[in-house]
Amino acid sequence: MPFALDAYLARTGASAEPLSLTALGALQAAHVRTFAFDDVDVLLGQHPGVGLDAVAEKFVDRGRGGYCFEHATLFHAVVTALGYDAQLRLARVGDPQQAPRTHLAVVVTIDGTRYLSDPGIGVPPLGPIELRDGARLEGGIWEHEIRRVDEGGAGPAWQLWRQRAKGWELMHSTDELPVRPVDVAMGHHYTSTHPASHFTRTLTVARHHVDADGRPMHLTLTLDGLQIRRSGEETQLREVADEEIPEVCEEIGAHLTDSEGVRLVERVRELRAGG
């Protein structure tokens, strides 16, 4: 295996338990509370790619984060190494009639039942959700629901929805087509280089946390500032000056080098100025 499973478990604080839905949920929660979701390498033009070697070195060895292609690649390798039956699946974020297949998730089968295990969406569910129309997952920042839709000749798709203050919001639609390494490479290439890609035009650094009172908490840094979400409360927004960006990244859990911090401040200034 191209990375040390023991090192991953040590980094996340997870353990190799007998295969079960409970154990998978604990592993997913540990992952999303350890590794940040961020597009820093995209903005800095230094992305190492989404091969497992590069992702494991970045996440496990350096304690960095990344976006969906990296999270799903690493998590899929981990659950497979632990003995789970797992497949990668691509998804369309937002309107499935307009969006390309630029999200990567993991589907895990346990005792004949399939679950969407998605550690790499911006504010991911804290556990797996059964791929069944109407299946729900409570807890975390928002409640999530799976909805089955017909994709015609391509078969069914599984939509992941989350309940926001203004109602249910579609996150993405996962299809049933097999995923090959070239599909992941192509999706990553578009997402990290295309001028229409969200990740090439704005800053996102986010991670799940646990508040002092034990409640789920989530921090998201964008060009607008630091969004602080707690379960059952309205989102708070804290202004963040350009020079504070590296410090806030560290607060969230995205550990940058000094050079990365300096260059990210420069890039944020450009983006905030409309560049």
Side-chain angles (χ1 to χ4, degrees), residues 19 24 27 74-86 106 108 117:
L19 306 189
L24 178 63
L27 190 69
L74 180 59
F75 194 73
H76 174 261
V78 168
V79 296
T80 299
L82 289 171
Y84 287 95
D85 176 3
V106 183
V108 181
S117 194

Side-chain angles (χ1 to χ4, degrees), residues 162-215:
R162 61 187 176 192
Q163 191 168 37
R164 304 289 299 271
K166 296 181 180 180
W168 286 96
E169 175 185 62
L170 174 62
M171 297 178 70
H172 60 66
S173 304
T174 303
D175 60 44
E176 294 281 14
L177 298 175
V179 174
R180 300 177 177 88
V182 66
D183 300 322
V184 178
M186 286 295 291
H188 161 64
H189 176 69
Y190 174 92
T191 306
S192 63
T193 64
H194 198 282
S197 169
H198 172 80
F199 297 108
T200 63
R201 297 178 287 114
T202 192
L203 172 69
T204 303
V205 181
R207 185 165 68 92
H208 276 290
H209 294 253
V210 178
D211 210 347
D213 62 4
R215 286 187 301 165

Side-chain angles (χ1 to χ4, degrees), residues 3-262:
F3 75 98
L5 178 61
D6 288 346
Y8 172 92
L9 296 175
R11 170 72 73 175
T12 60
S15 56
E17 302 290 341
L19 306 189
S20 70
L21 181 59
T22 299
L24 178 63
L27 190 69
Q28 183 171 331
H31 181 103
V32 301
R33 284 174 170 156
T34 300
F35 300 116
F37 178 95
D38 74 66
D39 64 344
V40 171
D41 284 345
V42 173
L43 291 181
L44 297 183
Q46 64 175 29
H47 206 291
V50 292
L52 181 56
D53 285 350
V55 174
E57 191 276 332
K58 181 180 173 184
F59 279 51
V60 178
D61 296 346
R62 289 194 280 140
R64 277 289 309 280
Y67 65 174
C68 66
F69 292 103
E70 296 160 285
H71 280 275
T73 293
L74 180 59
F75 194 73
H76 174 261
V78 168
V79 296
T80 299
L82 289 171
Y84 287 95
D85 176 3
Q87 293 83 37
L88 292 169
R89 288 290 181 265
L90 285 165
R92 303 178 188 274
V93 177
D95 182 355
Q97 301 303 317
Q98 302 292 329
R101 299 167 76 228
T102 55
H103 179 67
L104 190 66
V106 183
V107 171
V108 181
T109 302
I110 301 175
D111 295 332
T113 301
R114 298 195 305 156
Y115 299 88
L116 177 70
S117 194
D118 187 1
I121 194 71
V123 185
L126 286 175
I129 312 173
E130 183 180 349
L131 284 184
R132 173 178 53 83
D133 190 38
R136 289 193 178 186
L137 178 71
E138 298 180 350
I141 303 300
W142 299 303
E143 182 178 6
H144 291 82
E145 179 177 281
I146 294 290
R147 301 181 188 178
R148 185 187 189 277
V149 295
D150 188 1
E151 289 277 288
W158 304 96
Q159 294 184 342
L160 178 64
W161 292 72
R162 61 187 176 192
Q163 191 168 37
R164 304 289 299 271
K166 296 181 180 180
W168 286 96
E169 175 185 62
L170 174 62
M171 297 178 70
H172 60 66
S173 304
T174 303
D175 60 44
E176 294 281 14
L177 298 175
V179 174
R180 300 177 177 88
V182 66
D183 300 322
V184 178
M186 286 295 291
H188 161 64
H189 176 69
Y190 174 92
T191 306
S192 63
T193 64
H194 198 282
S197 169
H198 172 80
F199 297 108
T200 63
R201 297 178 287 114
T202 192
L203 172 69
T204 303
V205 181
R207 185 165 68 92
H208 276 290
H209 294 253
V210 178
D211 210 347
D213 62 4
R215 286 187 301 165
M217 176 184 178
H218 191 273
L219 302 178
T220 304
L221 175 65
T222 68
L223 297 178
D224 296 326
L226 179 65
Q227 299 172 21
I228 305 168
R229 298 184 176 95
R230 292 180 177 87
S231 180
E233 296 183 7
E234 292 187 2
T235 300
Q236 303 173 33
L237 182 63
R238 189 179 93 198
E239 291 187 2
V240 176
D242 297 345
E243 61 273 13
E244 296 178 292
I245 293 291
E247 179 182 346
V248 176
C249 285
E250 186 68 27
E251 177 184 346
I252 293 173
H255 309 299
L256 309 181
T257 66
D258 291 343
S259 172
E260 288 172 335
V262 170

